[in-house]
Amino acid sequence: MTHRDASFRLEGITRRYGELTALEDIDFSVEQSGYVSLLGPSGSGKTCLLRIICGFEKPDAGRVWFQGRDITDLPAHERGIGFVFQNFALFPHLTVFENVAFGLRNGAVSVAEAEITRRTAEAIEMVGLAGLEDRSPEQVSGGQKQRVALARTLVMQPSLVLLDEPLGALDANLRERMQTELRAIRERLGVTFLHVTGSETEALAMGDIVAVLDAGKIIQTGTPDQIYDTPASSDVALFLNRFNMFDGTLSDGMFAGPFGTAAAPVARHNPRDVYAIRYDRTQIFDKGAALPGPALTARFLASEYLGSSIIFLFETADRKTVEVDHHLSFGEPRDLEVGGEYVLSWDPAQAIVFGKGAAA
Amino acid sequence: MSAQNATKQKTATFRLLAPGVFWMILFLVAPIMMIVYVSFWTQTTFAINSTLTLDSWRNFFASEAYVGALWTTIRLWLIVLTLTFVIGYPAALFVGLLVKSKTLSTVLLVICVIPFWTSFLIRVLAWRPMLGKEGAINIILQKAGLIDSPIEVLLFSELSVVIGMTQIYVVFMVGPIAFMLGRIDRNIIEAARDLGAGFGRIFWKIILPLSLPGVVVGAIFVSVMVLGEFATSGALSGRKVNLLGNVIVTQVGSLKWAMASVVGVILTVLLGIVVAGFLRIVDLKREL
């Protein structure tokens, strides 16, 4: 299929509910079709943003542009934007086939019966549900419901598909399979998927572009590795859930924290002084061993075996939990004694430092 | 061991069932059997004896008045059922679906029930000063200059019975429908909207089918109550409208037990058919 124009742009989108500001001056644009993930904790306004793009809600201020048109005042069904609901929202009284055919049968444009049958069958085939056409939604599994919901949206040939936490209702196993499949389907259709999620692993694994939303604002947009390697603020780093973060003070290129003082020649502007080091860059040493950088004394609490890596949990003197991610391809981990004191250290060049004094 | 458990469970089941079964046999099955039995008894002017005969059944179907009462009952039931649905569904749609706040919809439902705070007879009789020749409606219409002489057909006619019954029973239609509508996931309606369906399509294809169990339950409530009615027709028709219920009241009043039983059996069978018919429309078991 040819790539369709799926460019869309949000300009200063603001939405308030009484006193509460759900979205504040959101600017965001996507030029080329791709997989866009929108990462945000619950309550960050991500569902609200989707509902505005889709047309279920109107912004208090700002415009929504899609395929070069201002669609802010268009009703949902005239936008050519598909929406996949978090809880699937299948029509419980219709069969799988009729669920998928619903938009063709009941839309503003009347479609010939033969075409309805053909397009519905195609959509069902594409999401891998062939053979289940006559089942009712309650007779199919969670993963299959997800596919029905997707097929029901895709059959309308939208250029932009909004997915509201599409994998949230699935179990872990299925979630990974659907991740791969969603990406494959998107590539085959050449449309844009805008996937909203609260899971940082999901957002980074799936998105060609990731936008991080917090408290009604987009705080960073970029490719997954940009976000991962250069988080724009300590809030972004916190959402990524892959950094040990320490409060302290930054002055004259030196960061003073619970680990003593470390050189921090480069710092990014941030409301607070924060020192972040990735879990998998933090290393464990015995007391008295030679260290590559700062020394943080911590008590070993427990470890979690994750198959490809082991997470070691430590507690520092000021009762802060610190994680060390040891990838098993770097060799067997050392045996640690629960309750024993160890020294954590890292290469200071790999730390990311945020400072209020740093240039914006 | 498992055989022993099974026996134990069986005993427990019987013990739990016994009181209910006993109660139903004593106060439902036995009286119905008795009514069927009595309908075949021999009735003389002042006495009744248990010699079996088909006389009362023959008399019922031979009498124009009795068969007429049967048709009147069916006709009024259909009219009232239609009106309660036509008036009740939009009200339920508003309360159950269009009102976004759950609190407000509960308040509205409670308001619907307020008339029930007075007794049934008062509610029926209250229609007399409303509909009468010098009643509220006629006075208002006359004062407004819309009519010259009072509309007499308003009271002591079939119309007044229909008005009274519709007002009294419409709530039983609103309740179950509003309940079913309230259970519809709003996302489903938005999904349909996103797929391009207009309000009409969404109503016919999504909302109505999903609320059908509520309609059926409401229709069963209304039907059971209207078919057995005698008070509203007695109080508002000026004895012009005779329903099967009124026939039973008259027959019992003049100690004609056999004929009363015949009408009772016919009414019970009619109710059975109506309820069974409604239950065929939807599979209520799936909804509960």
Side-chain angles (χ1 to χ4, degrees):
Chain A
M1 236 177 246
T2 52
H3 283 231
R4 276 177 252 157
D5 178 17
S7 64
F8 78 97
R9 193 165 87 242
L10 304 176
E11 273 179 11
I13 296 290
T14 300
R15 179 82 172 101
R16 293 186 194 88
Y17 297 98
E19 291 287 286
L20 189 92
T21 304
L23 295 171
E24 198 182 333
D25 202 20
I26 299 266
D27 288 313
F28 182 59
S29 69
V30 173
E31 297 306 329
Q32 280 176 341
S33 72
Y35 206 114
V36 182
S37 43
L38 188 63
L39 170 66
S42 62
S44 59
K46 50 194 195 306
T47 298
C48 179
L49 186 60
L50 272 203
R51 294 175 60 86
I52 285 174
I53 299 173
C54 180
F56 293 148
E57 275 178 47
K58 282 226 153 62
D60 293 312
R63 312 303 296 173
V64 183
W65 293 79
F66 178 55
Q67 297 177 324
R69 273 195 310 162
D70 180 353
I71 58 162
T72 318
D73 299 317
L74 277 187
H77 62 274
E78 286 175 29
R79 298 187 173 199
I81 296 176
F83 196 100
V84 178
F85 286 84
Q86 190 172 3
N87 65 353
F88 315 136
L90 300 181
F91 308 125
H93 59 300
L94 299 178
T95 60
V96 166
F97 184 90
E98 285 304 323
N99 260 283
V100 176
F102 186 89
L104 298 174
R105 260 196 222 301
N106 299 293
V109 189
S110 71
V111 182
E113 191 59 39
E115 199 190 337
I116 293 177
T117 315
R118 184 180 57 78
R119 278 168 66 178
T120 306
E122 264 175 29
I124 289 177
E125 177 76 42
M126 180 171 55
V127 297
L129 282 180
L132 300 180
E133 288 89 345
D134 296 328
R135 301 259 187 105
S136 82
E138 61 188 45
Q139 289 170 318
V140 301
S141 70
Q144 289 166 340
K145 282 197 185 92
Q146 164 80 75
R147 289 157 200 263
V148 178
L150 193 63
R152 186 178 67 177
T153 303
L154 294 178
V155 81
M156 301 306 288
Q157 302 173 337
S159 311
L160 172 62
V161 179
L162 311 177
L163 304 111
D164 187 6
E165 306 219 22
L167 308 178
L170 306 181
D171 57 52
N173 216 336
L174 211 52
R175 211 176 298 155
E176 274 176 32
R177 225 174 63 211
M178 280 311 286
Q179 282 187 6
T180 326
E181 239 170 280
L182 280 174
R183 283 191 61 94
I185 289 171
R186 191 211 71 74
E187 270 160 37
R188 212 172 329 149
L189 295 178
V191 301
T192 293
F193 275 21
L194 177 60
H195 175 133
V196 153
T197 175
S199 151
E200 69 288 345
T201 38
E202 200 175 296
L204 293 171
M206 300 193 70
D208 300 322
I209 297 172
V210 180
V212 184
L213 191 68
D214 180 40
K217 288 181 199 152
I218 289 185
I219 51 179
Q220 189 173 5
T221 311
T223 61
D225 29 325
Q226 277 170 350
I227 303 259
Y228 192 49
D229 293 335
T230 55
S233 70
S234 62
D235 283 340
V236 176
L238 189 66
F239 291 146
L240 295 177
N241 201 21
R242 281 174 192 188
F243 291 89
N244 289 311
M245 300 176 61
F246 305 101
D247 289 326
T249 41
L250 176 69
S251 60
D252 302 330
M254 296 300 280
F255 192 97
F259 43 79
T261 316
V266 188
R268 242 159 281 176
H269 183 73
N270 194 57
R272 290 180 301 130
D273 290 352
V274 178
Y275 190 95
I277 179 77
R278 264 161 63 173
Y279 295 159
D280 55 347
R281 300 278 192 248
T282 312
Q283 292 166 286
I284 308 163
F285 296 92
D286 285 317
K287 279 186 156 176
L291 303 175
L296 178 66
T297 310
R299 206 159 50 83
F300 175 58
L301 293 179
S303 60
E304 283 172 24
Y305 181 71
L306 297 179
S308 60
S309 65
I310 295 189
I311 304 272
F312 295 98
L313 296 169
F314 288 86
E315 191 181 58
T316 60
D318 52 354
R319 305 230 148 242
K320 187 177 152 44
T321 306
V322 176
E323 287 186 36
V324 176
D325 185 347
H326 178 89
H327 205 275
L328 292 175
S329 60
F330 296 135
E332 281 302 305
R334 39 180 306 173
D335 281 326
L336 299 180
E337 185 193 332
V338 174
E341 298 250 319
Y342 294 89
V343 177
L344 304 179
S345 187
W346 53 86
D347 176 0
Q350 284 169 333
I352 300 171
V353 183
F354 301 96
K356 25 179 204 282
Chain B
M1 181 63 194
S2 70
Q4 214 177 344
N5 266 350
T7 326
K8 246 189 202 166
Q9 201 164 16
K10 251 187 195 165
T11 328
T13 311
F14 280 123
R15 279 196 193 146
L16 287 170
L17 273 176
V21 170
F22 175 74
W23 190 264
M24 294 301 270
I25 287 177
L26 195 62
F27 294 109
L28 185 77
V29 179
I32 288 177
M33 302 304 282
M34 196 64 202
I35 291 171
V36 174
Y37 182 40
V38 171
S39 73
F40 293 102
W41 283 10
T42 306
Q43 177 90 54
T44 55
T45 314
F46 298 110
I48 186 165
N49 66 66
S50 59
T51 321
L52 296 183
T53 168
L54 278 173
D55 279 355
S56 302
W57 284 91
R58 266 191 223 108
N59 286 344
F60 180 91
F61 286 107
S63 153
E64 224 168 88
Y66 292 156
V67 177
L70 175 60
W71 291 124
T72 311
T73 308
I74 292 176
R75 193 177 67 241
L76 273 184
W77 160 62
L78 286 174
I79 294 173
V80 172
L81 186 64
T82 311
L83 284 176
T84 50
F85 175 73
V86 169
I87 297 169
Y89 200 97
L93 199 60
F94 181 75
V95 172
L97 202 67
L98 300 184
V99 171
K100 294 262 174 352
S101 130
K102 284 274 170 206
T103 325
L104 183 57
S105 74
T106 313
V107 167
L108 289 174
L109 270 183
V110 170
I111 288 174
C112 289
V113 182
I114 283 183
F116 287 78
W117 295 359
T118 55
S119 92
F120 173 81
L121 270 179
I122 301 287
R123 268 178 288 143
V124 173
L125 290 174
W127 276 109
R128 284 197 185 175
M130 285 294 288
L131 301 172
K133 222 161 139 184
E134 289 163 17
I137 292 175
N138 273 324
I139 291 176
I140 290 170
L141 289 179
Q142 273 176 305
K143 289 261 155 112
L146 291 171
I147 49 170
D148 298 325
S149 55
I151 307 170
E152 294 196 24
V153 75
L154 275 184
L155 188 59
F156 300 132
S157 64
E158 200 171 289
L159 179 65
S160 56
V161 177
V162 168
I163 292 174
M165 283 192 184
T166 304
Q167 184 263 322
I168 289 166
Y169 297 121
V170 72
V171 154
F172 295 97
M173 191 62 101
V174 174
I177 297 176
F179 175 74
M180 283 312 290
L181 288 171
R183 291 205 328 184
I184 297 179
D185 178 1
R186 305 299 157 103
N187 285 342
I188 287 179
I189 295 168
E190 287 189 336
R193 217 158 40 120
D194 184 48
L195 292 169
F199 181 79
R201 285 298 185 127
I202 293 177
F203 179 78
W204 289 110
K205 295 289 181 103
I206 308 288
I207 296 174
L208 189 62
L210 287 178
S211 66
L212 211 54
V215 176
V216 165
V217 171
I220 289 175
F221 282 165
V222 172
S223 303
V224 167
M225 286 182 288
V226 169
L227 287 170
E229 255 279 20
F230 64 90
T232 312
S233 49
L236 294 180
S237 79
R239 304 214 161 213
K240 274 180 236 159
V241 176
N242 259 325
L243 304 180
L244 289 182
N246 300 98
V247 175
I248 296 178
V249 172
T250 326
Q251 295 299 318
V252 169
S254 51
L255 302 179
K256 297 276 196 320
W257 296 106
M259 183 52 87
S261 298
V262 168
V263 182
V265 171
I266 288 171
L267 196 52
T268 310
V269 170
L270 181 60
L271 274 169
I273 294 170
V274 167
V275 172
F278 277 127
L279 288 179
R280 288 190 75 109
I281 298 179
V282 279
D283 186 3
L284 280 184
K285 271 178 289 176
R286 261 184 50 186
E287 306 299 330
L288 299 175

